[in-house]
Amino acid sequence: MAKARVRDTLRLRPGDGALPDPRDTPVGPTGKAEAAEAVAAIKSRLGKLQEALWAEKRRSVLVVLQGMDTSGKGGVVRHVCGLVNPQGLRVTGFGAPTRAELRHDFLWRVRKQLPGPGYIGVFDRSHYEDVLVARVDGLVPEEVWRARYDEINDFEAELTESGTTLVKVFLHLSPGEQRERLIARLTDPAKQWKYSPADVAARARWSDYEEAYDEAMRRCATDTAPWYAIPADRKWYRNWAVASLLLETLEDLAPVPPAPTYDVAAELARITDADPLA
């Protein structure tokens, strides 16, 4: 029996209905120790593929991380991105837009952070904030944020046509788990810097955010830029799932380093037969 692919299992499709349970393990490891072993195995395979992508210098990958506060976007950056060579990695966190950014189209600041050929880019929050926070908090009129779905689809189609593969990840967290994580931040002096009173304000509008995420994922799930829903209550499963998505993406791309532009045999002879320092 063929091994189930993470991308096929966790991919969201129109008409799928409810998201997976935030504590579920729909594919892959079912325990923390098993997940740790799997991630260790993923690391070496990822490293080889990333090196080939870097050497090829033709295509790129962009991982988009979205989710409610404490869903683990920073944890994914730390644990999953730590599996690859930082030289070929570009991580960008998007907060509230600055005054300068607000003077431009909402995609302006995003375009500036796109990964170049050979890179793996990671967005901690992204252009989707402009149909999430902007919608829930009423930062722009409804006709403005509704028009952005089509703009996002056009933008992502442009990216894929230019050689960037998108991996759009929704970290699906339960309200109960978020409560525990917020309490943990407040009661640990070393983590209090992560807490913001705005987190509780957003939590109070949980159902509004659920509606916003649901429409964003339905409207902007395309064949070339699908969404993946990752159960995020279990950190070890979340990290394994995102690492596996990245691995399968690179395996499908199958990057190949360019052929040498020099005579390999002649260069080997220069070192083995004619090296004055040997």
Side-chain angles (χ1 to χ4, degrees), residues 193-216:
W193 65 272
K194 292 184 176 182
Y195 179 84
S196 168
D199 296 343
V200 178
R203 176 177 169 80
R205 305 199 65 179
W206 190 277
S207 61
D208 293 331
Y209 273 103
E210 282 185 321
E211 291 179 8
Y213 268 109
D214 178 69
E215 185 162 9

Side-chain angles (χ1 to χ4, degrees), residues 1-197:
M1 182 180 295
K3 181 180 178 182
R5 281 167 51 95
V6 178
R7 295 180 73 190
D8 295 336
T9 304
L10 299 180
R11 178 174 176 171
L12 290 176
R13 294 176 175 82
D16 275 354
L19 294 168
D21 187 281
R23 293 193 66 79
D24 197 6
T25 56
V27 60
T30 57
K32 189 172 183 179
E34 184 185 358
E37 291 181 6
V39 169
I42 287 172
K43 181 176 181 178
S44 62
R45 293 157 65 195
L46 262 182
K48 293 176 182 178
L49 287 164
Q50 184 204 17
E51 184 175 25
L53 182 75
W54 175 260
E56 188 185 63
K57 282 289 193 297
R58 186 165 60 88
R59 296 170 292 177
S60 61
V61 173
L62 175 59
V63 180
V64 173
L65 300 174
Q66 288 288 160
M68 294 292 286
D69 296 315
T70 78
S71 60
K73 297 178 290 294
V76 168
V77 170
R78 182 167 65 254
H79 294 288
V80 177
C81 297
L83 300 175
V84 300
N85 187 336
Q87 184 177 1
L89 189 67
R90 181 170 186 173
V91 180
T92 305
F94 289 97
T98 64
R99 289 183 179 180
E101 290 169 343
L102 286 171
R103 289 196 290 267
H104 298 270
D105 175 81
F106 77 103
L107 291 170
W108 180 78
R109 65 173 183 164
V110 176
R111 291 181 182 278
K112 293 174 63 178
Q113 303 299 334
L114 292 172
Y119 278 88
I120 296 173
V122 181
F123 283 176
D124 179 345
R125 299 187 188 273
S126 67
H127 44 294
Y128 281 94
E129 292 297 292
D130 291 284
V131 291
L132 295 169
V133 176
R135 168 178 176 161
V136 174
D137 288 350
L139 302 181
V140 295
E142 181 174 349
E143 61 268 22
V144 173
W145 59 257
R146 284 207 174 276
R148 287 174 176 171
Y149 297 123
D150 289 338
E151 293 180 67
I152 287 173
N153 286 336
D154 290 343
F155 168 62
E156 293 179 350
E158 174 190 327
L159 290 184
T160 57
E161 289 170 7
S162 66
T164 297
T165 297
L166 284 99
V167 183
K168 300 188 300 190
V169 174
F170 173 57
L171 301 175
H172 186 34
L173 186 73
S174 69
E177 181 64 21
Q178 188 196 56
R179 180 177 183 275
E180 295 304 312
R181 293 182 186 182
L182 289 173
I183 291 172
R185 288 182 178 182
L186 282 169
T187 55
D188 183 349
K191 294 183 178 181
Q192 288 171 350
W193 65 272
K194 292 184 176 182
Y195 179 84
S196 168

